[in-house]
């Protein structure tokens, strides 16, 4: 076995301290289960200034929301511990030994893995530095903040036309940058019908301006900052296209090291024959994986979940985990009762 086996044992170890993991841990702690959350401290939405669309928490920062969640879990006796879980072993008795990067290991009766995903951005210089503020993906998370501003969509795959049509709801000034994607004639007609301009040519970089970023639009609540504001993109031919936000389609790559170490495979997500990411298959209702005793919640199993949906799924999956433990405890109690 890897690492040093610890004497610590928990009913459930939750791997991942984001919205899904903490919501699951809270539910399990309230169910009087011993719960440990191993939190790497790297939530997917960390670059964003605020969380939106989460009823009762709209406008909270991701850090603030998670701090509240950790305190709530601790208030019911759960433990949240910083660390990176890197692998797990299934022990002969059906329990699990979870290994952390620092060499520690802890035993668990059940695993709830909520490690999320990594957004792999297109290969345009400068995207990562502005990701989550004016380089965006989800209009439901950020559309209101850039409403009525000039927006550009970077075409890199089959989702790009859909993105352009969707973001058109928030602004009349949407441009599709063909970049590396070949648009079909019907797609061009659909874009033209909504007044979405198509600009040909590969995008080579971003234009970042400094100083006053207000150009008279009603939007832009969160797109200005100390490191300037997005003013446009540059093209391979030497031209520029104005935009105050750039919409991209990242590749959704599941953080699944603990799951794959247990033999659970990654599934490739496809849209129109084009790979858009990976996830780990699980029952959509309960989060149960193909390996007994292991559940998933949040983006590691469903890349399309937003914060509120991930939290709701964490609660639902935790209830399934607790029901499984109750079933096992009842079975053992019946066996003991019959022997007495």
């Amino acid at each position: 076995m890897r690492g040093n086996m610890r004497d610590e044992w928990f009913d459930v170890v939750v791997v991942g301290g984001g919205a899904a993991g903490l919501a699951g841990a809270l539910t399990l702690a309230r169910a009087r289960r011993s719960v440990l959350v191993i939190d790497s401290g790297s939530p997917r939405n960390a670059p964003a200034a605020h969380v939106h669309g989460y009823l009762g928490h709209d406008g909270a920062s991701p850090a603030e929301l998670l701090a509240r969640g950790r305190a709530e879990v601790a208030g019911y006796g759960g433990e949240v511990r910083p660390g990176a879980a890197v692998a797990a072993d299934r022990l002969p008795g059906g329990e699990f030994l979870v290994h952390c990067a620092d060499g520690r290991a802890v035993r668990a009766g059940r695993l709830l893995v909520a490690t999320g995903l990594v957004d792999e951005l297109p290969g345009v210089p400068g995207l990562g530095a502005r990701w989550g503020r004016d380089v965006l993906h989800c209009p439901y998370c950020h559309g209101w903040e850039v409403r009525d501003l000039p927006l550009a969509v970077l075409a890199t795959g089959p989702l790009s036309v859909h993105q352009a049509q969707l973001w058109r709801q928030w602004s009349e000034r949407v441009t599709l940058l063909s970049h590396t994607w070949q648009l079909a004639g019907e797609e061009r007609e659909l874009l033209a019908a909504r007044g979405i301009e198509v600009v040909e040519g590969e995008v080579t970089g971003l234009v970042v301006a400094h100083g006053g970023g207000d150009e008279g639009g009603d939007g832009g609540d969160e797109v200005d900052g100390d490191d300037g504001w997005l003013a446009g993109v540059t093209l391979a031919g030497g031209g520029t296209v104005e935009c105050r936000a750039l919409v991209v389609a990242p590749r959704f790559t599941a953080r699944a090291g603990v799951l794959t170490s247990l033999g659970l495979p990654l599934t490739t997500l496809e849209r129109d024959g084009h790979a858009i990411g990976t996830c780990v298959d699980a029952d959509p209702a309960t989060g149960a994986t193909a390996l007994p005793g292991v559940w998933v919640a949040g983006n590691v199993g469903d890349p399309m979940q937003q914060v509120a949906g991930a939290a709701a799924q964490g609660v639902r999956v935790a209830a399934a985990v607790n029901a499984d433990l109750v079933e096992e405890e009842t079975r053992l109690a019946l066996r003991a009762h019959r022997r007495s």
Side-chain angles (χ1 to χ4, degrees):
M1 293 182 184
R2 298 175 293 271
N4 297 316
M5 185 171 179
R6 296 282 296 272
D7 291 332
E8 290 182 296
W9 185 91
F10 295 86
D11 289 326
V12 185
V13 167
V14 178
V15 183
L22 289 174
L26 178 63
T27 301
L28 289 161
R30 284 177 51 82
R32 309 187 74 175
R33 297 295 179 186
S34 59
V35 182
L36 170 67
V37 179
I38 302 175
D39 181 14
S40 68
S42 55
R44 178 191 182 192
N45 63 351
H50 303 102
V51 172
H52 294 292
Y54 195 159
L55 187 63
H57 298 283
D58 189 80
S61 72
E64 176 187 357
L65 186 66
L66 296 182
R68 290 180 190 172
R70 289 190 290 268
E72 290 171 354
V73 170
Y76 289 99
E79 183 178 351
V80 181
R81 185 179 298 172
V86 295
D89 293 314
R90 191 174 190 189
L91 303 178
E95 297 179 348
F96 298 91
L97 185 65
V98 182
H99 303 272
C100 293
D102 62 4
R104 293 181 300 170
V106 62
R107 291 182 298 146
R110 303 290 187 275
L111 290 183
L112 198 172
V113 179
T115 41
L117 60 79
V118 174
D119 292 295
E120 295 184 359
L121 302 179
V124 175
L127 294 188
R130 310 197 68 82
W131 175 239
R133 197 179 79 200
D134 46 27
V135 173
L136 308 171
H137 165 61
C138 174
Y140 299 105
C141 301
H142 302 285
W144 177 263
E145 284 63 50
V146 296
R147 64 196 183 278
D148 298 322
L149 295 177
L151 312 177
V153 178
L154 187 71
T156 55
L159 289 177
S160 301
V161 172
H162 170 71
Q163 282 184 305
Q165 297 284 6
L166 194 59
W167 280 86
R168 177 63 178 76
Q169 174 69 22
W170 281 265
S171 176
E172 295 182 354
R173 295 180 285 174
V174 177
T175 301
L176 183 70
L177 307 167
S178 67
H179 191 49
T180 60
W181 189 251
Q182 184 64 44
L183 293 168
E186 183 180 357
E187 291 175 323
R188 292 177 182 274
E189 187 177 15
L190 288 171
L191 293 167
R194 296 292 305 279
I196 299 170
E197 182 184 2
V198 175
V199 173
E200 307 293 344
E202 185 175 348
V203 174
T204 56
L206 307 182
V207 179
V208 177
H210 297 271
D214 185 1
E215 57 173 52
D218 293 330
D221 295 354
E222 296 181 357
V223 296
D224 301 333
D226 294 338
D227 58 346
W229 49 278
L230 183 65
V233 300
T234 58
L235 301 176
T240 62
V241 176
E242 178 195 13
C243 65
R244 286 296 309 278
L246 178 64
V247 177
V248 303
R251 178 181 170 86
F252 307 123
T253 301
R255 291 172 171 163
V258 170
L259 295 165
T260 56
S261 74
L262 289 166
L264 289 166
L266 287 174
T267 295
T268 299
L269 297 170
E270 292 188 354
R271 175 67 66 88
D272 297 334
H274 185 78
I276 63 171
T278 58
C279 68
V280 174
D281 283 334
D283 184 277
T286 66
T289 69
L291 182 62
V294 180
W295 284 258
V296 299
N299 288 148
V300 71
D302 183 357
M304 302 305 171
Q305 287 284 7
Q306 298 176 25
V307 176
Q313 190 176 46
V315 172
R316 187 169 66 250
V317 172
V321 175
N322 184 62
D324 185 67
L325 286 165
V326 168
E327 182 179 348
E328 179 183 63
E329 291 161 351
T330 301
R331 186 170 60 251
L332 293 174
L334 178 61
R335 187 182 304 168
H337 174 75
R338 287 173 173 172
R339 287 199 303 262
S340 63

